[in-house]
Amino acid sequence: TLDRSSAASDVYKRQADEVATAALAAAAGRWPDRHDSVRLLIELNAAIAMSRNRPAAAAALATRALAAVSAVFGPRSREAFNARMTLAVTEVASGRADDAAATLAGLLADLAREDLAQSTTAAMAHANRALALSLAGRYVEAAVDSAAAVAAFERIFGPAHPNLIDALCNQALTALDVGQPRDGEAPARRAYQIALTHLGPDEPGLANPLATLAIVLAVNRHGPEAGRLAQRAIALAGPGDDRAAVRGEAELALEVEVGDHAAQRALGQAQHRVDLAAGALVEVVDVLDQRERQVEQRLHLDDQVVAAGREVERLAVGGLAGGVLGLLAQQVGPLVGGLGGQRR
């Protein structure tokens, strides 16, 4: 109970570890046989309770318990399947996400062989494997297991059961991981609505789906709604360290929202500069068009002068007229050529 009351609280982590250690000592005195079924059950629960405070010790305990459970009940018994799930949880806690993903992949394969692919154990295995794969950075694979977990929980519990809340939140966040933020909005809203229905508007447990929905909306640029939900999640989470992860996610949503507004402002300023530059460019083009029309007019006039000069030269009688007009033709010809080059 202490362990599950908060995944992020240092106080609860230590208390859960202390209680688990006391339970292990009591179990060893009450059931000296290392393979007693009750003692093994206590060891598996203790491993989970210890995992957030002493993850390496918890993983070692879970490994020993799994070996004992397999020896007592068989490697493909339900007890062994649950022990493998516990081992995967401790592997995730100890930073061995890839090992946890492999453990759960093997578990899912054995569940399928035993015709238990539709069981609650399989649903939990998909959910935990999706988390392990996300932590390992294998987001595409995580999305597959996340969707399988949601489908399994829906089939087992129905479409609006509280057990769906975490699976839907994980599916929403996985959509962000794979670069498909729009696909995350529907499961995030659904998780929030289920939590709101079953918990009420003022229950601290609502903070997690609220924060998830806030970050998804912020990434999808629904800034005002994201901001409101994030502030509500922070208020519900409270000031203590027991909700630090949820509070951090909500604060991240606010940062994304503020960053989005800043980006929009920068984009608007840049667009304004582009518009000014475009206006100046239009003015330059207008000036160039005017100069081109002026050049064309001068060329047309020069062509008329040359044509008239040639006609006069053809009709002129006497050496003086011919000489003057010839000189005129020599002067106008280069002028026309120069204007043509200027136009180009």
Side-chain angles (χ1 to χ4, degrees):
T1 301
L2 287 168
D3 170 71
R4 293 177 182 179
S5 62
S6 173
S9 168
D10 290 337
V11 173
Y12 283 125
K13 286 176 186 177
R14 289 192 299 271
Q15 290 181 348
D17 191 356
E18 291 169 0
V19 173
T21 302
L24 288 173
R30 175 67 179 80
W31 297 282
D33 183 2
R34 179 71 178 74
H35 293 84
D36 185 275
S37 59
V38 178
R39 179 174 171 176
L40 290 173
L41 178 63
I42 291 173
E43 288 182 351
L44 290 170
N45 281 284
I48 293 177
M50 293 164 54
S51 63
R52 294 190 174 95
N53 193 48
R54 290 187 294 152
L61 177 60
T63 301
R64 292 195 302 272
L66 172 59
V69 167
S70 298
V72 173
F73 298 100
R76 291 191 178 178
S77 62
R78 290 181 181 269
E79 292 81 2
F81 290 155
N82 289 331
R84 288 163 73 178
M85 187 89 72
T86 299
L87 174 61
V89 170
T90 62
E91 287 172 334
V92 168
S94 58
R96 296 157 51 197
D98 281 311
D99 290 342
T103 297
L104 292 166
L107 173 58
L108 286 166
D110 285 343
L111 287 171
R113 293 188 190 99
E114 298 298 319
D115 200 24
L116 293 172
Q118 308 301 316
S119 65
T120 305
T121 303
M124 290 299 301
H126 279 298
N128 287 331
R129 188 165 189 266
L131 173 61
L133 290 168
S134 292
L135 293 173
R138 296 158 60 181
Y139 301 125
V140 175
E141 296 173 80
V144 174
D145 274 287
S146 181
V150 170
F153 283 127
E154 285 178 331
R155 184 179 61 253
I156 295 168
F157 300 109
H161 195 276
N163 284 353
L164 273 166
I165 294 172
D166 287 342
L168 287 167
C169 286
N170 289 336
Q171 187 179 35
L173 296 175
T174 302
L176 300 186
D177 291 334
V178 297
Q180 301 292 334
R182 291 185 179 179
D183 292 342
E185 187 169 340
R189 287 191 182 279
R190 191 173 160 205
Y192 169 64
Q193 288 300 326
I194 294 173
L196 186 63
T197 299
H198 287 273
L199 300 176
D202 300 319
E203 170 62 37
L206 190 63
N208 182 45
L210 262 175
T212 298
L213 180 56
I215 187 65
V216 170
L217 291 177
V219 174
N220 281 314
R221 296 188 175 182
H222 299 305
E225 184 180 6
R228 290 194 301 272
L229 294 177
Q231 294 286 5
R232 182 61 179 156
I234 292 171
L236 287 174
D241 66 349
D242 58 329
R243 293 282 175 173
V246 173
R247 193 166 55 252
E249 190 173 271
E251 290 169 351
L252 176 61
L254 289 176
E255 291 176 11
V256 171
E257 181 205 358
V258 171
D260 183 58
H261 287 325
Q264 290 294 329
R265 286 195 299 272
L267 181 61
Q269 293 170 356
Q271 185 62 53
H272 180 62
R273 290 193 294 270
V274 169
D275 291 342
L276 291 176
L281 180 60
V282 169
E283 293 177 2
V284 171
V285 170
D286 287 341
V287 171
L288 291 176
D289 286 342
Q290 292 174 6
R291 292 190 62 183
E292 184 174 7
R293 284 194 295 271
Q294 291 172 356
V295 170
E296 288 176 347
Q297 292 171 357
R298 291 180 63 183
L299 288 173
H300 181 66
L301 178 61
D302 292 336
D303 289 341
Q304 290 179 332
V305 170
V306 171
R310 287 174 180 168
E311 182 64 18
V312 171
E313 183 180 11
R314 187 178 65 82
L315 298 175
V317 216
L320 179 59
V324 171
L325 291 174
L327 180 60
L328 177 61
Q330 291 174 10
Q331 295 296 324
V332 172
L335 176 61
V336 174
L339 288 173
Q342 181 181 352
R343 182 183 183 186
R344 287 194 295 273

